[in-house]
């Protein structure tokens, strides 16, 4: 994962546990909020095993909390953190969640394509615990660890900076023997 510090499940859950009386709000873009009538439909644990472009195997877990907005708004106020924690408790009875798993929030509506985002900043504002969501990102793990990320068919590293090639120095050679020289205006050229 990128060196940016991402929220793990243990930290996410502990933050919720510190504020059970607050309402849990999610902001998915500047001034854009998940509707207050949202539901937590499921919590998924996804073990990821990958091989990056440098040939190194990587493993990590993601804990994905899925939010759903019903088509008919059925609440003016977002769910309390305590209700979210009761859903977590139900999930953890059947599925022990990796405390170090990276948390993602999965959400979409008619104006915002469904995607997975990271919890960024947690803000307490009045009666609300606001989770600001930040976009997911791609990265080259090999470059991130200072390695190359494989080679092209010609053997060049595909993500390494192009090697600077010096222009070959030209050497002028006089191929004409002195007796065969031609002077301007002599008619020999």
């Amino acid at each position: 994962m990128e060196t940016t510090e991402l929220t793990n499940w243990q930290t996410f859950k502990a933050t919720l546990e510190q504020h059970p009386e607050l309402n849990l709000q999610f902001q998915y873009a500047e001034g854009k909020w998940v509707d207050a009538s949202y539901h937590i439909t499921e919590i998924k644990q996804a073990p990821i095993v990958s091989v990056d472009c440098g040939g190194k195997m990587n493993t990590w877990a993601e804990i994905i909390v899925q939010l759903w907005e019903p088509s008919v708004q059925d609440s003016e106020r977002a769910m309390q953190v305590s209700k979210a924690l009761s859903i977590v408790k139900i999930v953890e009875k059947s599925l022990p969640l990796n405390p170090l798993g990276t948390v993602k929030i999965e959400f979409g509506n008619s104006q915002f394509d469904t995607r997975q985002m990271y919890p960024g900043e947690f803000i307490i504002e009045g009666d609300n615990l606001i989770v600001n969501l930040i976009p997911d990102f791609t990265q080259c793990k090999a470059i991130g660890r200072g390695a190359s990320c494989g080679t092209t068919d010609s053997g060049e590293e595909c993500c390494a900076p192009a090697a600077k090639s010096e222009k070959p120095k030209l050497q002028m050679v006089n191929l004409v023997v002195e007796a065969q020289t031609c002077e301007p205006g002599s008619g020999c050229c």
Side-chain angles (χ1 to χ4, degrees), residues 103-123:
V103 176
K104 289 186 172 181
I105 307 297
E106 186 174 75
F107 170 74
N109 61 22
S110 60
Q111 289 85 38
F112 190 74
D113 291 336
T114 301
R115 63 188 76 179
Q116 293 177 357
M117 296 165 282
Y118 296 110
E121 186 178 16
F122 292 84
I123 301 168

Side-chain angles (χ1 to χ4, degrees), residues 56-84:
K56 183 174 189 256
M57 185 174 286
N58 301 280
T59 61
W60 70 93
E62 294 178 350
I63 310 299
I64 304 155
V65 179
Q66 186 181 69
L67 307 179
W68 171 70
E69 284 183 0
S71 56
V72 177
Q73 186 178 9
D74 60 6
S75 176
E76 294 290 323
R77 170 177 268 171
M79 77 169 60
Q80 279 197 304
V81 172
S82 60
K83 180 175 180 181

Side-chain angles (χ1 to χ4, degrees), residues 58-175:
N58 301 280
T59 61
W60 70 93
E62 294 178 350
I63 310 299
I64 304 155
V65 179
Q66 186 181 69
L67 307 179
W68 171 70
E69 284 183 0
S71 56
V72 177
Q73 186 178 9
D74 60 6
S75 176
E76 294 290 323
R77 170 177 268 171
M79 77 169 60
Q80 279 197 304
V81 172
S82 60
K83 180 175 180 181
L85 286 168
S86 70
I87 294 168
V88 167
K89 187 176 180 179
I90 291 169
V91 169
E92 288 184 326
K93 280 183 184 178
S94 299
L95 177 64
L97 298 173
N98 182 335
L100 301 179
T102 302
V103 176
K104 289 186 172 181
I105 307 297
E106 186 174 75
F107 170 74
N109 61 22
S110 60
Q111 289 85 38
F112 190 74
D113 291 336
T114 301
R115 63 188 76 179
Q116 293 177 357
M117 296 165 282
Y118 296 110
E121 186 178 16
F122 292 84
I123 301 168
I124 296 175
E125 190 174 285
D127 292 339
N128 298 308
L129 175 60
I130 300 167
V131 181
N132 278 331
L133 302 177
I134 56 176
D136 199 349
F137 48 85
T138 59
Q139 62 193 327
C140 179
K141 291 175 183 68
I143 287 180
R145 66 175 182 271
S148 76
C149 68
T151 56
T152 63
D153 290 341
S154 64
E156 298 166 341
E157 296 174 355
C158 65
C159 289
K164 291 184 179 181
S165 60
E166 290 186 33
K167 290 183 179 181
K169 293 183 180 180
L170 299 176
Q171 184 177 5
M172 302 297 282
V173 177
N174 186 358
L175 299 176

